[in-house]
Amino acid sequence: MPRPDVLSLPELVNANERLVHRGRFLTAVMRLDIGADAYLISIDRGRIAEVRKGPFVMPSWTFGLSCRADALDQFWKPLPPPGFHDLFALLRRGELTLSGNLQPFMANLLYIKDVMASLRSPKETA
Amino acid sequence: MMRATIEPITGRYMRLDHKGREHRIYFEEAGQGIPLVCLHTAGSDGRQFRGILNDPRVTRDFRVIAFDLPWHGKSSPPAGWQDGDYQLTSADYTDIILTVCRALELDRPVAMGCSIGGRIALHLAMEHAGEFRAIIGLQSSAHVHPYYDTTWLHHPDVNGGEVCAAIAAGLVGPNAPDAHRWETVWHYMQGGPGIFKGDLYFYKVDGDIRHRLSEIDTSRCPLYLLTGEYDYSCSPADTLETAACIPGATVSIMPGLGHFPMSEDPDGFIAHLLPVLSEIAHR
């Protein structure tokens, strides 16, 4: 299964009114490291304003998520296996590392979990 | 006009002494027969057992009782609570369970607890086997290493209800029915400030029972451990590791379910629970 394109986040998130509403108090730059690939995701009051793919020179960001690529591949499966279905499941396994200022991350935890899960392929219907 | 349905659950308050202070404890019950005392998870309350309290297959032979721990749900904190922080210990947790059981004059009840309730179930099996007919631990493990900073659960810069809900939401299995998933999350949104965090002190620090598991004697009190496959707080591996140290413990891993089986998917869970209850009833 191909890895979802992080650059599609603005389209996926901004089309979801409830998700944007949930994140309406968050304006921040989230750094996402997937293996060797780095992304800077600019969030403006819950909308994804911009996603840039690295490499970067002296990037500034608010908080960061870093995870092995194959662990996120499991997370993004339509039905993720046990231990891979939530960001905190990855944290518990030691696959996910958090960095930076974690206050906005924890204050918007459900929003950020759902932003990351929005890249998940829809479940196939029988 | 839609007709109202009155559920067969009765809710009442009791006043009792615990730790030398008067407490007002809320409990719900339904059914008749063998007492089945249900213990909710950290930061939640007895509503998690609404499916069991409403299921005639259970209440036909069991008197199901779910009480809210002090500081949780509709149970009040004791007078003077504002002068201290809430922190659950193994001794306090054991004491309130035994006090409630004695106050209701229950004859050797079955205790069934989930998560922190699953942990205290192990303590009860070890220290009070003679007072219980059987013990059922849901999402039961001997210890959980901290994997996130619980300071954020009670912090003025983070909404407590929202963050507790976000923590709990991930622990629900991916196929849980939406209505039950969000009801489960809602209970977490309603916890008092610092209560989830105070419960986790027992779960992650004080309640560590790893080195005493071999003291549990299942010939005195049968022990059943049921764990949802998708729980990463108490994973199936954690339960299996715990059970491996307790001769005679029965383990069942529940496919598809998460950390809150009785609340996130009552029907799915009860299918696993009924054979256990039947075995207990026929002992």
Side-chain angles (χ1 to χ4, degrees):
Chain A
M1 195 180 71
R3 184 166 300 150
D5 185 2
V6 178
L7 297 173
S8 67
L9 267 179
E11 183 187 339
L12 292 167
V13 171
N14 298 345
N16 185 338
E17 272 183 44
R18 281 306 296 171
L19 185 53
V20 170
H21 179 76
R22 184 174 289 148
R24 66 197 178 281
F25 296 113
L26 180 62
T27 296
V29 178
M30 178 169 87
R31 178 177 176 137
L32 176 61
D33 287 278
I34 306 174
D37 293 335
Y39 298 86
L40 291 177
I41 300 163
S42 298
I43 303 165
D44 180 9
R45 290 170 293 175
R47 297 179 63 81
I48 306 296
E50 182 186 38
V51 180
R52 287 193 292 143
K53 187 174 183 186
F56 305 108
V57 177
M58 293 180 68
S60 291
W61 41 274
T62 317
F63 56 84
L65 281 63
S66 177
C67 193
R68 277 196 312 123
D70 54 354
L72 275 175
D73 287 343
Q74 298 292 319
F75 173 83
W76 279 321
K77 281 186 172 175
L79 182 60
F84 293 90
H85 64 291
D86 185 83
L87 289 186
F88 270 45
L90 299 175
L91 190 66
R92 172 85 152 104
R93 300 179 72 86
E95 299 282 6
L96 176 69
T97 306
L98 304 171
S99 56
N101 177 10
L102 296 188
Q103 185 276 327
F105 173 80
M106 292 303 286
N108 296 277
L109 183 57
L110 198 54
Y111 167 81
I112 293 161
K113 283 184 172 190
D114 284 352
V115 165
M116 289 293 288
S118 70
L119 289 164
R120 189 171 284 156
S121 318
K123 287 177 193 171
E124 288 175 22
T125 49
Chain B
M1 194 176 77
M2 192 176 139
R3 287 181 57 192
T5 303
I6 307 293
E7 297 185 2
I9 302 173
T10 305
R12 300 182 72 183
Y13 290 90
M14 68 176 105
R15 292 178 186 228
L16 46 75
D17 287 330
H18 165 60
K19 295 175 69 182
R21 298 161 92 178
E22 187 185 74
H23 280 262
R24 186 165 186 256
I25 300 291
Y26 178 73
F27 68 104
E28 295 179 342
E29 67 170 286
Q32 58 278 311
I34 299 169
L36 173 61
V37 177
C38 300
L39 309 168
H40 58 75
T41 63
S44 188
D45 60 60
R47 284 176 294 176
Q48 290 184 321
F49 293 95
R50 64 196 178 283
I52 292 165
L53 285 154
N54 269 306
D55 195 314
R57 293 172 297 174
V58 177
T59 55
R60 187 183 57 218
D61 297 318
F62 286 84
R63 178 186 173 194
V64 184
I65 299 158
F67 72 92
D68 296 345
L69 279 174
W71 308 70
H72 297 68
K74 293 169 82 169
S75 292
S76 299
W81 68 266
Q82 69 277 11
D83 296 326
D85 283 337
Y86 170 76
Q87 196 171 63
L88 184 67
T89 66
S90 309
D92 296 345
Y93 199 178
T94 300
D95 184 69
I96 190 65
I97 294 165
L98 297 179
T99 302
V100 166
C101 290
R102 288 165 189 161
L104 293 174
E105 299 180 337
L106 304 181
D107 176 26
R108 291 184 64 239
V110 178
M112 176 168 73
C114 186
S115 183
I116 59 166
R119 176 74 57 73
I120 203 67
L122 299 175
H123 288 249
L124 295 175
M126 182 179 69
E127 293 174 342
H128 299 280
E131 296 179 57
F132 292 92
R133 191 176 308 248
I135 288 178
I136 304 171
L138 310 176
Q139 318 307 129
S140 202
S141 66
H143 178 64
V144 171
H145 288 289
Y147 59 98
Y148 64 93
D149 181 0
T150 59
T151 307
W152 293 113
L153 303 181
H154 188 201
H155 192 291
D157 289 339
V158 174
N159 181 298
E162 301 267 13
V163 73
C164 292
I167 297 282
L171 289 164
V172 177
N175 287 331
D178 253 6
H180 289 303
R181 167 190 302 276
W182 288 102
E183 164 106 21
T184 302
V185 170
W186 179 251
H187 302 159
Y188 272 83
M189 291 179 161
Q190 295 188 305
I195 301 308
F196 185 26
K197 178 174 179 251
D199 284 340
L200 293 180
Y201 174 75
F202 164 73
Y203 192 52
K204 297 185 176 178
V205 182
D206 187 71
D208 184 350
I209 194 175
R210 279 176 291 179
H211 303 300
R212 300 188 64 190
L213 290 174
S214 60
E215 295 175 36
I216 296 175
D217 181 356
T218 57
S219 70
R220 295 184 64 207
C221 179
L223 177 66
Y224 301 87
L225 303 178
L226 289 78
T227 290
E229 176 191 31
Y230 271 89
D231 189 356
Y232 54 85
S233 173
C234 168
S235 69
D238 295 327
T239 300
L240 290 167
E241 187 182 337
T242 299
C245 301
I246 310 171
T250 303
V251 183
S252 176
I253 304 302
M254 302 179 285
L257 295 175
H259 188 69
F260 313 97
M262 64 287 175
S263 184
E264 67 181 56
D265 186 358
D267 289 340
F269 168 62
I270 287 170
H272 294 280
L273 178 65
L274 287 175
V276 172
L277 293 181
S278 174
E279 192 172 310
I280 292 170
H282 290 96
R283 272 180 180 271

